[in-house]
Amino acid sequence: MQDADRNTSSILGLVSRLWQSPALLLCLASFFWALNPIVGRAAKDLLSPVTLAFWRWVVALVFVLPFAWRHLRDDLSAIVDGWRFLGLLGALGVGLFSFLVYQSLQFTTATNNLLLQSTMPVMTLLMPVVLFRERVHPILLVCALLSITGIAWIMTKGHPDYLRWDALNRGDLLAIIAVFLYSAYATFLRRAPAMHHLSLLVVLFGVGIAALSVPYAWHLWWAGLTVASPAALASLLYVGIFPSLLSYALFNRAVALVGSGRAGVYMNLPSVFGVLMAVPLLGERFAKYHLIGSLLVVASILLSRRVKT
């Protein structure tokens, strides 16, 4: 019995330390996000983009609701007072964002989708400047540029001068719009009403589901209802639990600890994790440009930690 109590205490202590460490929170969130476009790309012939986006948030809501129920009752007045803001945040940063991610994967590769997230650190740094007149620490700007350089190095296989905007296809453009929406979500998240983090997740997931319900209903009317295969169900469970419930909870907590600017510097980690995972998962060869680009991104993150919050 004492051994069991000690084990439980150790686990709770580990979780408590994780919850206070923005670096670990963002690394875990990024790892889960890295597999999201890979799974989405693999499931593109099994599930439509709107189906995957809709059921992603249904799964996430089902898993979080039992733990959030008592907090929802305490936060009901805050939710009612801030329903307009929460509705906009959930509709754009949860519903529309996820649909655009999966829609983009109909036209571009998972690797491209991940690499285009390199624009997110700059967006999350500049949006507060434009919208809230905030000042950005010069080190964070250097970190963002260093991180983008690393991703460009990987994307172009060590030849960043090959980058051309006219090479972007429809899926790439949709991915960039999705990144813009999530950057806006991260920027405005700090203005969310004060409430328990589980209550916030339930509200955002619920709004995301509501925003996707009409296009999903239209899809069902147009294409009809089909029985999901085991592979499709496994894909839904993954995107509903890991890049949705867990990543959003971890990211929201990190933003509360260090702000959207510093959190945004970490948003190139999904690109690095995704490219590196393509080596064992897709049989790609690990080249020197992978190493150089990844080291630049990691260096930008380490440098960003020198900025005091």
Side-chain angles (χ1 to χ4, degrees):
M1 180 66 72
Q2 290 181 345
D3 290 341
D5 290 340
R6 279 197 294 269
N7 291 336
T8 302
S9 178
S10 298
I11 293 173
L12 291 176
L14 180 62
V15 172
S16 177
R17 287 194 295 274
L18 169 66
W19 202 241
Q20 298 301 324
S21 172
L24 289 177
L25 293 170
L26 290 164
C27 285
L28 273 177
S30 297
F31 180 77
F32 297 144
W33 271 325
L35 276 173
N36 184 42
I38 295 175
V39 173
R41 178 72 177 178
K44 77 181 187 70
D45 295 326
L46 303 174
L47 297 162
S48 70
V50 70
T51 300
L52 191 56
F54 177 83
W55 285 104
R56 168 184 181 176
W57 301 116
V58 171
V59 170
L61 184 62
V62 167
F63 274 88
V64 73
L65 194 54
F67 303 99
W69 189 251
R70 64 187 181 90
H71 302 295
L72 278 172
R73 290 179 296 179
D74 296 335
D75 294 329
L76 186 58
S77 60
I79 295 171
V80 172
D81 291 340
W83 70 269
R84 291 184 180 86
F85 177 83
L86 292 170
L88 189 62
L89 199 66
L92 299 181
V94 175
L96 183 57
F97 162 75
S98 60
F99 170 72
L100 289 176
V101 168
Y102 297 131
Q103 184 67 26
S104 74
L105 291 168
Q106 300 290 309
F107 308 103
T108 192
T109 64
T111 301
N112 269 20
N113 186 283
L114 282 164
L115 293 175
L116 287 168
Q117 292 183 20
S118 61
T119 57
M120 190 174 292
V122 170
M123 288 188 188
T124 53
L125 283 174
L126 295 182
M127 278 190 182
V129 175
V130 175
L131 297 174
F132 304 135
R133 307 282 182 162
E134 292 186 4
R135 297 181 63 182
V136 177
H137 198 291
I139 290 181
L140 291 181
L141 288 175
V142 173
C143 291
L145 293 174
L146 188 62
S147 185
I148 287 178
T149 302
I151 293 302
W153 197 268
I154 296 174
M155 182 188 292
T156 61
K157 300 183 179 181
H159 300 282
D161 53 308
Y162 290 174
L163 281 175
R164 298 191 340 269
W165 280 104
D166 59 357
L168 297 176
N169 61 34
R170 189 194 317 177
D172 297 332
L173 294 174
L174 289 174
I176 291 175
I177 296 172
V179 168
F180 174 83
L181 287 176
Y182 198 83
S183 299
Y185 166 86
T187 301
F188 283 99
L189 186 61
R190 73 188 75 180
R191 300 295 180 93
M195 66 179 71
H196 194 274
H197 64 94
L198 293 179
S199 299
L200 180 61
L201 287 179
V202 168
V203 172
L204 294 177
F205 293 168
V207 172
I209 293 169
L212 291 165
S213 60
V214 173
Y216 180 58
W218 183 88
H219 168 76
L220 290 179
W221 177 82
W222 179 263
L225 184 64
T226 57
V227 178
S229 66
L233 291 175
S235 299
L236 286 173
L237 283 175
Y238 176 81
V239 301
I241 296 172
F242 291 95
S244 302
L245 173 57
L246 293 181
S247 285
Y248 268 70
L250 297 173
F251 182 80
N252 289 359
R253 172 60 178 172
V255 170
L257 290 174
V258 298
S260 59
R262 276 191 59 183
V265 174
Y266 285 75
M267 295 312 295
N268 274 336
L269 275 182
S271 305
V272 174
F273 288 150
V275 170
L276 294 181
M277 282 190 288
V279 174
L281 294 178
L282 304 178
E284 296 185 2
R285 184 177 63 89
F286 186 80
K288 185 165 63 175
Y289 64 82
H290 287 117
L291 177 62
I292 294 173
S294 300
L295 288 177
L296 287 172
V297 174
V298 172
S300 73
I301 291 171
L302 294 177
L303 182 61
S304 74
R305 300 188 67 181
R306 297 177 63 89
V307 179
K308 295 181 179 180
T309 56

